[in-house]
Amino acid sequence: MGSLEVFGPLSMDLSMPLLPQLADDLHTSESLAQATMSVCMLGLALGQLVAGPLSDRLGRRRPLLWGVALFMVLSLLCAFAPTIEMLLVLRFLQGIAGSAGIVIALAAARDIASGAELARLLSLLGLVGALAPLLAPVAGGQLAVVLDWRGLFVVLAGIGLVLLVISATLLPETLPPEQRHDGRFAETGRRFGAVLRDRLFVCFLLVGACTGTAFFTYLASISFVLQDGFGLSPQAFGAVFAMNAIVAVLGSLSNRAVVRRAGPARMYVLGTTATAVTALALLGAVLLDLGLVTLLLLLALVLFCYGVISPNSSTLALSGHGERAGTAAALLGMSSFAVGPIVAPLVALGGTATLTMALTMTVAIVIGCVLVWTTVRPRLHAQGEAAAAGDHPAEAAEPRPGALH
């Protein structure tokens, strides 16, 4: 399941070092070459809205295997794309196919765990998700020494083949037939409606969009901030980027260690609050020009908190939707991946990279924190009190991880 989390980072970051070569070979602009990453991310977002509900109908394995197989085929077709227009279409379809792995891994995790155990499982899966963005650009840079951009897509097809074999042989079906729906369009629409009528779930979507905005702002800006603003070499930038990824991993590990005692809700509120405080300190450090070391330490703290927030957010959002986990996971994943193609170009218009990055991250994180304290936390308290009073006996069979104790 952890290996399925790499579709997004691998699809985008592996080809990053060879985008200039791609533009030259296809006689196109650098902006259109960069657009191949944006359309892939858009496919990763929209495809989840198809793969997730489909897995609620057919079970997890069949849509997953078809998605991974199509990802492999489309990666090969990308390697032979004759024009930039064809490549853009294929990259979009490649993203749609790869989205099956991301959303179904989350839905399968919800099938087999709930509450604090689900948060611990997602923290473990998050280790792979945090390491993949670190390893993909490094691997892409090394492969660029011996391969052209077309060769990298052949490598992606090979990775797809490996993931297909792993999924076919090691991942069992996690959704029993009696828990699947009949597949009618009306039933799929009803499930989407049921999830979106859950106001607490919508609150998690909004907070997730805020934290996603901050995270993608970091990804879109950090190379310009460190290399253009502070004069770091590409090697030094790679080392800093690697350390920040490791810090995010430590955040996931720390959450896994304590969430069983503290509970997902408390860890989510504490993590969001700590992130907002750190982001405000980051903005202050930039305005006061406190230097590179202070900036790096505060960015590392933000990423550490992100490693804490992410698994608990997914756990709490999915807690009331076990019978439609694929649909709920699709909406969660879509809201996260849809942010990137919007944020990256807008941040680039903001002028001074360091201040723009700090200001955008701070505003997004503070808005998310305000939503947590004004909407999410009161509703979690209300759920906990109702469960304690026995107002929802039908839900007694499954613990409500949203309850604050």
Side-chain angles (χ1 to χ4, degrees):
M1 288 166 60
S3 68
L4 298 174
E5 297 286 326
V6 304
F7 274 107
L10 283 179
S11 299
M12 293 175 289
D13 297 345
L14 196 65
S15 61
M16 191 184 302
L18 286 175
L19 287 180
Q21 184 194 100
L22 184 154
D24 291 340
D25 188 50
L26 294 180
H27 308 290
T28 188
S29 64
E30 289 190 4
S31 61
L32 277 177
Q34 292 172 337
T36 61
M37 296 178 63
S38 295
V39 296
C40 181
M41 187 180 293
L42 188 61
L44 287 167
L46 298 179
Q48 296 186 58
L49 297 178
V50 177
L54 198 61
S55 74
D56 283 343
R57 172 192 173 188
L58 301 176
R60 310 302 183 204
R61 276 179 58 85
R62 276 195 287 171
L64 172 64
L65 297 179
W66 274 107
V68 179
L70 285 173
F71 176 88
M72 177 184 65
V73 172
L74 288 163
S75 296
L76 273 179
L77 292 177
C78 286
F80 297 98
T83 64
I84 186 62
E85 293 80 10
M86 180 64 72
L87 183 60
L88 287 170
V89 172
L90 290 172
R91 286 285 273 165
F92 177 70
L93 296 175
Q94 182 194 41
I96 290 178
S99 69
I102 299 170
V103 66
I104 292 175
L106 180 57
R110 179 59 184 88
D111 290 339
I112 63 177
S114 63
E117 294 308 314
L118 177 57
R120 297 182 78 244
L121 175 58
L122 293 180
S123 295
L124 198 58
L125 301 186
L127 300 183
V128 180
L131 287 173
L134 162 64
L135 298 177
V138 176
Q142 296 301 313
L143 289 171
V145 177
V146 295
L147 297 174
D148 61 4
W149 69 269
R150 296 182 186 275
L152 286 183
F153 281 106
V154 175
V155 171
L156 270 179
I159 293 173
L161 176 61
V162 172
L163 291 175
L164 179 62
V165 173
I166 291 174
S167 300
T169 56
L170 298 181
L171 185 66
E173 178 59 65
T174 59
L175 186 67
E178 61 272 13
Q179 294 184 19
R180 305 171 193 174
H181 69 79
D182 57 13
R184 291 178 299 175
F185 181 80
E187 174 63 18
T188 300
R190 187 189 68 79
R191 287 175 173 244
F192 269 115
V195 174
L196 291 174
R197 283 193 299 271
D198 181 350
R199 294 182 180 179
L200 182 57
F201 182 89
V202 173
C203 290
F204 283 119
L205 284 184
L206 294 175
V207 176
C210 291
T211 55
T213 297
F215 184 69
F216 280 109
T217 297
Y218 162 78
L219 290 180
S221 306
I222 190 62
S223 61
F224 298 102
V225 168
L226 296 183
Q227 295 185 75
D228 296 343
F230 289 93
L232 267 65
S233 67
Q235 293 77 20
F237 164 71
V240 170
F241 194 80
M243 289 302 297
N244 283 346
I246 292 172
V247 168
V249 169
L250 293 176
S252 293
L253 285 174
S254 299
N255 180 71
R256 178 175 168 79
V258 302
V259 71
R260 187 177 283 166
R261 295 193 304 273
R266 183 171 287 111
M267 293 299 296
Y268 177 70
V269 173
L270 289 175
T272 308
T273 305
T275 309
V277 172
T278 307
L280 288 168
L282 174 68
L283 179 59
V286 171
L287 292 173
L288 295 174
D289 195 17
L290 296 183
L292 178 61
V293 174
T294 303
L295 176 72
L296 293 180
L297 287 175
L298 292 171
L299 279 174
L301 283 175
V302 169
L303 292 171
F304 180 90
C305 294
Y306 185 81
V308 173
I309 293 171
S310 182
N312 294 302
S313 174
S314 298
T315 296
L316 296 169
L318 294 174
S319 64
H321 301 285
E323 74 281 8
R324 43 185 175 264
T327 302
L331 289 168
L332 284 176
M334 185 276 297
S335 67
S336 174
F337 277 91
V339 170
I342 299 172
V343 169
L346 291 179
V347 171
L349 298 175
T352 306
T354 306
L355 180 58
T356 301
M357 179 189 73
L359 183 61
T360 306
M361 290 179 66
T362 301
V363 170
I365 291 170
V366 169
I367 291 174
C369 185
V370 170
L371 286 172
V372 167
W373 280 92
T374 58
T375 61
V376 176
R377 190 172 182 273
R379 291 181 185 278
L380 292 177
H381 270 301
Q383 281 190 358
E385 291 169 2
D391 292 344
H392 301 285
E395 299 174 357
E398 179 172 309
R400 296 300 299 268
L404 279 171
H405 300 293

